[in-house]
Amino acid sequence: MAVAEPPRIGRVLIAEAELRARVVELGRTISRDYAGQNPVIVGVLKGALVFMADLIRAMPIDLTTDFMALSSYGVETKSTGVVKLASDLSMPIDGRHVVLVEDIIDTGRTVSYLKRNLETRHPKSLRLCALLDKIERREVDVEIEYLGFTIPNVFVVGYGLDHAGLYRNLPYVAALDGV
Ligand code: IMP
Ligand code: MG
């Protein structure tokens, strides 16, 4: 029996320059909406790490950062729908404007869990900023107030997104073939 081929980096879906341009636009838009309000920008680790680092540097306003971490799927490439909070925010958010920053919305399960979780803490407002939207796969309705790109139903890596922990450091978003 043939041994299964390891996955390999395929077609580049979003090149570095395209990412940069769009992230700067998003940063400007969010900055206009939250100027003078010191929003809490909450990144979902680890996927949102790279996106958020670039996003906040495109936001010339007072802001605060915080992070939540979710337990990973391991090497699975499909959402199990089971989400576990591995690490929580470092401070309360009641009365604060919160922008949740995610790498990708797939089934929508992860982010709807997170939104419900954060709403119980009574933020003044809560909006979602996602780099990628794999809309074809949606199972749970989610409103994405700030979206980078809509992508087709392919597994992608790079710019923070991983497969089995690898490829987060690629400066572009590419399809991963053979997963
Ligand atoms: P959801 O709960 O199905 O929306 O899954 C969202 C999470 O699944 C994301 O935050 C990613 O960690 C992961 N994910 C979904 N699609 C991809 C992909 O194409 N590449 C890498 N990670 C993905
Ligand atoms: Mg993620």
Side-chain angles (χ1 to χ4, degrees), residues 73 79 102-104 106-110 134 155-156 161-162:
Y73 301 173
S79 179
E102 256 283 28
D103 52 358
I104 185 166
D106 187 29
T107 64
R109 292 187 185 282
T110 304
K134 220 190 266 184
F155 195 84
V156 292
L161 292 112
D162 77 307

Side-chain angles (χ1 to χ4, degrees), residues 2-62:
V3 176
E5 297 257 338
R8 45 196 185 282
I9 307 297
R11 179 166 77 88
V12 172
L13 267 76
I14 312 168
E16 212 175 334
E18 269 181 279
L19 284 166
R20 197 179 312 118
R22 186 71 187 120
V23 171
V24 164
E25 276 178 6
L26 285 172
R28 288 202 183 123
T29 303
I30 300 171
S31 297
R32 272 198 301 271
D33 292 353
Y34 291 91
Q37 306 194 76
N38 187 8
V40 187
I41 312 301
V42 174
V44 184
L45 295 175
K46 302 171 187 165
L49 164 72
V50 178
F51 174 40
M52 179 152 152
D54 285 343
L55 183 70
I56 61 172
R57 282 179 291 177
M59 296 179 59
I61 61 168
D62 283 346

